[in-house]
Amino acid sequence: MSAAGDAAGDAAALALPAAVARAPRRLPRVLRRHPGACLGGLLLLAMLGVAIAAPWLGTIDPATLLPRARLRDPSAQYWFGTDMMGRDLYSRVIYGARVSLLIGFTVAGLSCLLGMAIGLVSGFLRGVDGVLMRVMDGIMAIPSILLAIALMALLRGSVVTVIIALTVVDVPRVARLVRGVTLSLREEVFVQAAIAAGTRTPMIILRHILPNALPPIIVQATYLLGSAMLAEATLSFIGAGTPPTVPSWGNIVAEGRTLWQVKPHLIFFPAIFLSLAVLAVNLLGDGLRDALDPREAER
Amino acid sequence: MLLYLLRRLLAAVPVIAIVAFVVFSLLHLAPGDPAAMIAGDHATPEEVAMVRETLGLDRAFLPRFLDWLGQLAQGDLGTSIFTSLPVSTMIGQRIGPTLALMTVALAITLSLSIPLSVLSARRPGGLLDRVLMGFAVLSYSLPVFLTGYLLAYFVSLKTGLLPVQGYVPPEEGLGLFLAHLLLPGLALSGAYFALIARTGRAAMLEVLRQDYIRTGRAKGLGAVPLLFHHALKNAAIPIATVVGMGVASLISGAVVTESIFTIPGLGRLTAEAVLRRDYPVIQAMVLLFSVIYLVVNLVVDLVYGLLDPRIRL
């Protein structure tokens, strides 16, 4: 799997720069072969742009209270309307992108790093494998949102504690994947050759195992990004996530809950932004999986 | 078969023990003072001390853990800090609506996803295939609270076709009972539907490449018996696997769905317990749902033997 996987991975990594270099004939081909991934990538870039440029997108401070303009419907002045405290919903939703993406990227990054460390160690040092994997199995047997809820019940709600709780939930998934890939790579001839040549274990892991294990980890990281954003919103929605002062999409929906029958826009605007962000990430993940998985590429 | 069942049950015991250990140690590993956290910001020192004693935080970890395991073995799930009721009583009051909701979601998902994925595998890249796969990406990307509120708003509130929120027990009329569960069931099945449809399609494509399918086609078998009788049988194992694994998404989704549709089930109980920081209830919920999840997957393992006689249990 490694050689083919490598080639497919390289091809995918090179596809975009090469297409730009040999423009304009190759660019449409990337689009034609992976329309979903391109759409997802563009959407995600747009979301990132919105999150970074939030202060310059016609927003006001998302915490500003306008007591005389409470519960306004969407209009030219208040694009998405205002909530029951008179805060501008458009500004809150735009700033919400920052919270969601920050949590999503941090959780995905941290759980991949920790999961990779545990998975590599577990796949290479048979002594600790049994213990580590039993703990990982135990954590994975708990439905993920419930474990995050239990953690949040013991922590003071903040962006950092949400990140910690969601990372704890996601690490075992990466660790299991990396361990599996490591075990199969260990049997490859080039690794056996390196062992026979007396290369030290840390070097083998870094030089030979890690680069070959990266493509599936990248795909997994993409899906984790999406699921972490959903999980943050779910936690915040039931009141176990970020504190109400933080304008996260889940919080905004939670605040609109009591009034959704008369003012549905309070819920639909933040929920639609969250859906678009998660959809973008998942489309990108599907495209990456097709591009990086040699078995899928055959079709 | 009986021996296999026994072996599997025995193998599940250490996993449950590890789950129990993880859930229990969270309380002791939490930074700061969990007792003060649970008692809340306005608690007096006496109240904090009381919570600490109720949770056993004043005692050493290991004896407390063994005591707790002993209580669990006797069916004692602890006592709620907030209501002072035994947690097992609270679960008994709330489990009915949750099981009903999950059954409805399961029925909707299975009856739609399996036939559609089988049919879509017939022409990969065809119209049905592309529509179904597009819909699958959508339905696992949309949060339950978007689909839930969209359905409640447009189907119930705007047209009045179905009740908006609430729950009616089956004793008060089966029709009313189902009418209240239809929309929550649909909202809950989103991610589950996507998982099964995608896996079903992939498994079918794998099977349809095999020689016996070509033989079947060559001898003039129609598409329907070929797909549903010959191919689906061999694609059934991976589908059954994700039917079991996907129950996790039903459990997670239930917490949100029950809150949206005000269904007095275990998911809502969990959400209420979080707001009250009622840790014994949360702890019991995590344990209960993990056991349900393990049991469902155990049952799926047993079903393998029924689906595929080549698998001798």
Side-chain angles (χ1 to χ4, degrees), chain B residues 133-148:
Chain B
M133 286 305 112
F135 184 73
V137 175
L138 259 184
S139 67
Y140 78 75
S141 298
L142 302 189
V144 179
F145 50 74
L146 180 66
T147 39

Side-chain angles (χ1 to χ4, degrees), chain B residues 239-304:
Chain B
I239 296 178
T241 309
V242 291
V243 166
M245 279 172 19
V247 167
S249 82
L250 287 186
I251 293 171
S252 306
V255 178
V256 175
T257 312
E258 290 179 6
S259 295
I260 295 172
F261 290 94
T262 60
I263 296 169
L266 293 178
R268 191 108 174 280
L269 180 62
T270 312
E272 289 165 8
V274 167
L275 292 181
R276 301 167 182 164
R277 296 202 181 262
D278 197 345
Y279 198 73
V281 174
I282 297 173
Q283 196 170 317
M285 253 6 164
V286 175
L287 209 58
L288 175 71
F289 276 125
S290 305
V291 169
I292 291 179
Y293 184 49
L294 283 170
V295 168
V296 167
N297 281 291
L298 182 63
V299 171
V300 167
D301 273 8
L302 298 178
V303 169
Y304 284 167

Side-chain angles (χ1 to χ4, degrees), chain B residues 151-217:
Chain B
L151 287 170
Y153 190 76
F154 288 104
V155 179
S156 300
L157 209 61
K158 285 282 138 178
T159 60
L161 284 176
L162 286 166
V164 182
Q165 286 172 319
Y167 173 78
V168 173
E171 301 90 89
E172 290 172 32
L174 208 59
L176 217 53
F177 166 72
L178 287 176
H180 278 88
L181 283 175
L182 184 58
L183 291 187
L186 269 176
L188 183 55
S189 48
Y192 197 35
F193 172 87
L195 180 70
I196 295 175
R198 285 165 67 122
T199 312
R201 172 184 178 271
M204 282 297 289
L205 286 180
E206 206 66 45
V207 172
L208 288 178
R209 276 190 213 160
Q210 290 177 19
D211 289 340
Y212 79 94
I213 296 294
R214 191 186 305 152
T215 309
R217 205 170 278 143

